[in-house]
């Protein structure tokens, strides 16, 4: 192992999983209470009785720390989605994001406002959540094209990501209740027809 790799391992090992979990819980509490802008690494470090330098060394800054804390709530498991057909894959995919967004609406509201004010947080969210999620969606759609479920030249393919992201945010924007039944119906009656899928079987 190279000296640089050794140093990286030592940096990562300085905070135990238990201490990291305590820190993440504290970060999320502060995020709910004061919002992202007023949250400071210094205050979190003092309350956690942890060195500010240790936090910066481990995570790099406030955006990365907040993202790590949000991700610690639970894994967003979209990489392994493969139900055997596109309709099922899309429902499983959007359900993962729904679970994440519904887990803590107060915290999510704080995050939505924050990403538009802090370019570093936006980039951290992009790297940790958006880019991997879109890559997984690309795999799902490409697999459906390979199976012949969707025509390779289907004009709706480039718009699927916008359709899914838009409906996930509609509950917060419009004040509506977006639950899994609503999302299943959205896939069945909006996304699937746009992709040329046959109608969903009647229950």
């Amino acid at each position: 192992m190279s000296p640089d790799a050794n140093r990286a391992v030592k940096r990562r090992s300085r905070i135990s999983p238990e201490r990291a979990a305590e820190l993440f819980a504290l970060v999320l509490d502060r995020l709910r209470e004061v919002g992202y802008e007023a949250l400071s690494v210094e205050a979190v470090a003092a309350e956690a009785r942890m060195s500010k330098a240790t936090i910066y060394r481990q995570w790099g800054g406030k955006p990365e720390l907040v993202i790590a804390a949000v991700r610690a709530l639970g894994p967003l498991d979209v990489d392994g989605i493969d139900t055997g057909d596109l309709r099922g894959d899309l429902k499983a995919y959007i359900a993962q994001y729904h679970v994440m967004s519904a887990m803590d609406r107060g915290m999510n509201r704080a995050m939505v406002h924050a990403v538009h004010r802090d370019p570093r947080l936006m980039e951290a969210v992009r790297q940790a959540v958006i880019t991997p999620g879109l890559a997984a969606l690309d795999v799902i759609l490409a697999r459906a094209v390979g199976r012949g479920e969707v025509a390779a030249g289907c004009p709706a393919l480039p718009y699927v990501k916008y359709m899914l992201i838009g409906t996930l945010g509609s509950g917060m924007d419009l004040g509506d209740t977006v639950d899994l039944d609503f999302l299943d119906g959205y896939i069945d009656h909006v996304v699937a027809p746009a992709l040329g899928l046959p109608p969903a079987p009647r229950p």
Side-chain angles (χ1 to χ4, degrees), residues 42-64:
E42 290 79 3
V44 168
E47 193 167 347
R49 297 181 180 179
M50 185 179 292
S51 163
K52 178 179 68 176
T54 298
I55 293 176
Y56 279 114
R57 187 166 52 243
Q58 185 87 5
W59 286 284
K62 182 167 78 168
E64 295 81 6

Side-chain angles (χ1 to χ4, degrees), residues 4 17 105 120 164-165 197:
D4 287 343
R105 296 192 184 281
R120 291 188 307 149
L164 299 185
I165 292 170
L197 299 183

Side-chain angles (χ1 to χ4, degrees), residues 4-6 16 29 34 63 75 87 95 103 142 149 155 166 187:
D4 287 343
N6 276 322
S16 70
D29 282 344
V34 304
R87 188 189 304 273
M103 192 175 295
E149 287 183 86
I187 296 296

Side-chain angles (χ1 to χ4, degrees), residues 7-86:
R7 283 194 291 271
V9 170
K10 288 178 182 177
R11 279 201 303 271
R12 288 194 297 269
S13 65
R14 287 186 179 179
I15 299 178
S16 70
E18 293 77 18
R19 283 289 281 149
E22 293 173 4
L23 178 66
F24 292 156
L26 179 57
V27 168
L28 296 177
D29 282 344
R30 296 294 293 166
L31 185 63
R32 296 181 192 98
E33 290 171 7
V34 304
Y36 178 78
E37 290 185 10
L39 186 151
S40 74
V41 174
E42 290 79 3
V44 168
E47 193 167 347
R49 297 181 180 179
M50 185 179 292
S51 163
K52 178 179 68 176
T54 298
I55 293 176
Y56 279 114
R57 187 166 52 243
Q58 185 87 5
W59 286 284
K62 182 167 78 168
E64 295 81 6
L65 176 61
V66 169
I67 285 296
V70 171
R71 296 190 77 183
L73 288 171
L76 184 64
D77 186 16
V78 293
D79 291 332
I81 291 174
D82 187 358
T83 66
D85 66 85
L86 180 56

Side-chain angles (χ1 to χ4, degrees), residues 76 78 92-102 129-130 132-134 168:
L76 184 64
V78 293
Y93 178 89
I94 202 170
Q96 284 284 330
Y97 280 93
H98 171 70
V99 169
M100 181 179 72
S101 64
V129 179
I130 298 174
L134 292 180
L168 284 168

